[in-house]
Amino acid sequence: MLQAMFVNADDIYLEWQVNIDTTIKPVSIDQPVITINGMFPGPLINATTNDIIHVNVFNNMDEPLLITWNGIQQRLNSWQDGVSGTNCPIRPGSSWTYVFTVKDQIGTFSYFPSINFHKAGGAFGPIRVNPRVVIPTPFPKPHGEFDLLIGDWYNNSFKDIRLSLNKSLLHLHPDTMLMNGNSRYPQTNRTIVVEQGETYLIRISNVGTERSINFRIQNHPMLLVETEGSYTSQIILDSLDVHVGQSYSVLVTTNQPKADYYMVASPKMVNTPESSQLVGVGVLHYDDSTTPVQGPLPRGPDPFDLNFSINQAKSIRWNLTAGAARPNPQGTFNVSNVTLSQTFILQGSLDEINGSARYAVNNVSYRVPDTALKLADYYKNGTGTYKLDAYSANSSNPVAIDATFVVSGVHNGWLEIVFKNDMLVIDTWHLDGFGFYVVGFGAGDWTPNMRSTYNLYDPVVRSTVQVYPGGWTAVYAYLDNPGMWNLRSQVLKHWYLGQELYIRVYDPDPNPAKERQPPSNILFCGSVIPPPVPTPTPVPVPPGPKPSPATTLTINWFSILLIFVFALV
């Protein structure tokens, strides 16, 4: 059975050196940038579904580090998830090797650091998971592919921003928008070079910290085909909203006259003039073109027009007939007749706790314990690290508190999660370990009657979903993946200051086919110490051969003879 599971799978070995580099200047200002193998953004992970990825991460920084694999489900193996609840950090000057399988997944994903506000300093990069050749894609093979990592960026050091947040100074916001680590054209020339008359796949990821973006290409409509591991119903878009932590794949046909064309990423929910550094600008360059970009930047929707964004979100549906990582059509797996086992109603909020500004879920701001939850769960049943289900996943705590929030998820049960947002910004939520079905968006308060508005026919499956100001978003997740799984805001400020919790999906069957055992190179921290190395048992020295009687007799007569000789002398 195991052999069949990994048929046609390859092992991919990567060595990553993570460093602080002060010579890279994305915004022409001295600041520390976190690089991987000297690269910013980091190197591409290019895999095929079911491949086994080995990433040996050397932490050459002066503080602990973790890398998480955004959207990679880590089937039966939350030990490799790379967040504080599943992994002890990689200490400065040391290394650790992640080993995980991109099992039964295809699509566009990203990786980034998960602790210490490091994502605001870099160390993010693209992940492609390609389909097996035996499973057809629902579109012709493109002429080429590009990874486009877009995200807001601070002019200050991530350490300075982190210090400000620790002092409850929340007024600092990102200053610029980067495309693949570069500031806007023409200060730096971020170009994609294409040939006329071809079709290209562009993989777009929002790797920023705070701002949702609207992306568009001058005179070039985009055909949406995939998001975070799901083939979508194919729709033509003039512009695409991409929220923090989300990824999409679009097809672009280069059917315009040979010239250069603007690519634009503008922030949502903020007024920015065309000249603002917060408007990311790159260039789609036709090879042999001598005509530079011209005219105004292509206009996007009003950044405060939430109806545009909501309607577009509702139009992104699952392609029910396409096979993705498996040959079965995606529509084989649907939610039209599921029976819910649990409902979580989660309210994100900004609170004051013990005199400090904190973000929270249901009035519980997550406190990171010294011991990784998964480690404590395996070795100590959580004792001394967390109390399971101590706080409600359905209603807010009477007062805002600082605590380690862990809830039970019913193994092989259907979970409904309703995310509520009373803040003035677009929030985004991500669930590790699973894809969830995005069944509904709505304004105002959520009530059970809102279920009648859900799309249960073809909701798209993804791992990160936006929640609009003053509104709610509902998703369904099938909890078939045992482990300790992080549920968090992808808005970095919210996440860093406590807007997260963990779902413990437990299967009591010790069969390792149900859930992986700890890796042999597991790191220990907090109250779980490494088991003592067994003292080798001394191996007794075997006795020499026993002399034969004849030998003994010879020795005795020889002794007598020596005594007689010495007596004569």
Side-chain angles (χ1 to χ4, degrees):
M1 190 69 178
L2 187 63
Q3 184 178 6
M5 184 186 300
F6 294 113
V7 64
N8 296 326
D10 289 330
D11 284 272
I12 297 174
Y13 293 89
L14 303 171
E15 296 281 334
W16 283 6
Q17 297 284 344
V18 180
N19 290 279
I20 293 287
D21 192 319
T22 57
T23 65
I24 297 175
K25 296 183 179 181
V27 290
S28 301
I29 294 173
D30 289 334
Q31 62 180 171
V33 175
I34 306 174
T35 63
I36 299 176
N37 295 349
M39 300 171 61
F40 172 71
L44 167 68
I45 296 178
N46 193 13
T48 298
T49 185
N50 296 338
D51 282 353
I52 305 169
I53 315 297
H54 308 250
V55 189
N56 191 17
V57 177
F58 291 83
N59 179 12
N60 300 313
M61 300 195 301
D62 58 355
E63 51 191 59
L65 168 74
L66 281 176
I67 304 287
T68 193
W69 321 95
N70 197 50
I72 302 301
Q73 293 179 8
Q74 307 291 356
R75 297 294 300 174
L76 311 179
N77 197 14
S78 63
W79 298 103
Q80 305 292 333
D81 201 31
V83 288
S84 67
T86 60
N87 294 84
C88 299
I90 306 169
R91 308 304 301 181
S94 63
S95 67
W96 196 71
T97 302
Y98 294 88
V99 182
F100 57 91
T101 303
V102 287
K103 179 172 170 51
D104 290 336
Q105 290 191 265
I106 57 95
T108 302
F109 308 95
S110 64
Y111 60 83
F112 48 75
S114 65
I115 60 174
N116 292 332
F117 211 68
H118 285 158
K119 189 184 179 189
F124 49 74
I127 302 175
R128 299 180 191 174
V129 183
N130 304 293
R132 290 176 288 165
V133 294
V134 296
I135 301 177
T137 55
F139 49 85
K141 182 178 176 60
H143 186 69
E145 297 186 26
F146 298 99
D147 301 288
L148 194 55
L149 304 180
I150 305 173
D152 54 22
W153 186 260
Y154 292 94
N155 287 350
N156 297 85
S157 161
F158 69 91
K159 294 184 178 182
D160 293 340
I161 303 298
R162 183 175 68 194
L163 181 61
S164 296
L165 293 176
N166 292 340
K167 294 179 178 179
S168 300
L169 302 176
L170 308 184
H171 64 282
L172 297 175
H173 300 284
D175 304 282
T176 191
M177 192 74 67
L178 303 183
M179 287 189 182
N180 286 358
N182 293 272
S183 59
R184 64 176 287 161
Y185 175 90
Q187 286 94 328
T188 55
N189 192 4
R190 177 67 264 161
T191 61
I192 289 178
V193 180
V194 295
E195 298 177 22
Q196 190 180 40
E198 301 290 353
T199 297
Y200 293 86
L201 185 72
I202 301 179
R203 300 175 181 267
I204 307 164
S205 294
N206 185 335
V207 294
T209 65
E210 181 175 325
R211 301 292 187 190
S212 297
I213 61 171
N214 179 267
F215 177 77
R216 59 247 184 217
I217 304 176
Q218 186 179 27
N219 296 351
H220 288 76
M222 299 173 289
L223 182 68
L224 180 65
V225 295
E226 181 265 336
T227 180
E228 297 162 29
S230 288
Y231 289 130
T232 65
S233 294
Q234 296 179 10
I235 54 175
I236 296 176
L237 302 171
D238 291 323
S239 69
L240 173 63
D241 281 356
V242 188
H243 303 277
V244 179
Q246 291 186 335
S247 295
Y248 287 96
S249 294
V250 298
L251 291 173
V252 175
T253 299
T254 52
N255 54 8
Q256 297 299 303
K258 283 192 174 185
D260 289 358
Y261 299 89
Y262 286 117
M263 300 186 297
V264 177
S266 56
K268 308 285 292 183
M269 303 298 293
V270 60
N271 276 320
T272 49
E274 187 176 288
S275 59
S276 170
Q277 290 296 314
L278 262 179
V279 177
V281 181
V283 172
L284 183 76
H285 171 74
Y286 282 46
D287 66 345
D288 299 329
S289 164
T290 57
T291 305
V293 287
Q294 52 189 311
L297 299 181
R299 290 184 61 83
D302 185 310
F304 294 94
D305 185 356
L306 292 182
N307 286 329
F308 167 86
S309 193
I310 293 170
N311 289 334
Q312 183 178 89
K314 290 180 176 180
S315 73
I316 298 172
R317 305 292 187 94
W318 221 21
N319 185 330
L320 298 181
T321 60
R326 307 175 185 177
N328 321 57
Q330 289 179 158
T332 305
F333 314 95
N334 62 73
V335 294
S336 57
N337 293 301
V338 305
T339 299
L340 296 174
S341 301
Q342 294 174 280
T343 295
F344 292 172
I345 301 173
L346 304 179
Q347 174 77 60
S349 62
L350 174 61
D351 299 299
E352 182 178 320
I353 302 174
N354 299 325
S356 297
R358 299 283 296 179
Y359 288 92
V361 184
N362 289 357
N363 266 353
V364 180
S365 184
Y366 187 81
R367 182 176 64 239
V368 180
D370 293 334
T371 308
L373 300 177
K374 185 63 179 171
L375 197 67
D377 187 58
Y378 185 84
Y379 287 99
K380 303 176 65 176
N381 199 30
T383 302
T385 299
Y386 71 91
K387 293 182 180 179
L388 187 64
D389 298 319
Y391 309 101
S392 174
N394 297 100
S395 60
S396 290
N397 209 56
V399 294
I401 60 171
D402 185 37
T404 303
F405 195 173
V406 185
V407 297
S408 297
V410 176
H411 182 226
N412 287 332
W414 280 97
L415 169 64
E416 175 189 39
I417 309 177
V418 179
F419 300 109
K420 298 170 64 178
N421 180 14
D422 290 336
M423 295 182 284
L424 300 178
V425 297
I426 299 173
D427 206 354
T428 58
W429 284 85
H430 174 89
L431 176 59
D432 284 351
F434 306 91
F436 45 54
Y437 296 76
V438 183
V439 296
F441 296 93
D445 199 17
W446 179 90
T447 66
N449 292 333
M450 298 300 177
R451 292 177 179 138
S452 64
T453 68
Y454 286 1
N455 168 29
L456 300 181
Y457 175 66
D458 57 355
V460 72
V461 178
R462 61 187 316 154
S463 61
T464 301
V465 70
Q466 68 273 27
V467 191
Y468 296 99
W472 55 266
T473 299
V475 303
Y476 285 0
Y478 183 55
L479 302 185
D480 62 342
N481 191 13
M484 186 71 72
W485 301 111
N486 186 229
L487 179 60
R488 63 176 179 267
S489 173
Q490 295 275 52
V491 176
L492 189 58
K493 184 186 300 183
H494 298 181
W495 184 12
Y496 178 71
L497 290 180
Q499 193 177 324
E500 65 174 320
L501 57 89
Y502 281 82
I503 302 177
R504 180 182 184 261
V505 181
Y506 180 65
D507 183 348
D509 189 341
N511 183 348
K514 298 293 184 69
E515 186 181 0
R516 299 284 182 86
Q517 298 296 300
S520 59
N521 64 341
I522 187 172
L523 297 177
F524 293 89
C525 54
S527 63
V528 180
I529 61 176
V533 178
T535 304
T537 304
V539 179
V541 179
K546 187 175 181 180
S548 64
T551 305
T552 304
L553 184 62
T554 302
I555 293 173
N556 290 341
W557 276 109
F558 182 72
S559 301
I560 293 170
L561 181 61
L562 285 177
I563 294 171
F564 178 74
V565 169
F566 282 113
L568 292 177
V569 172

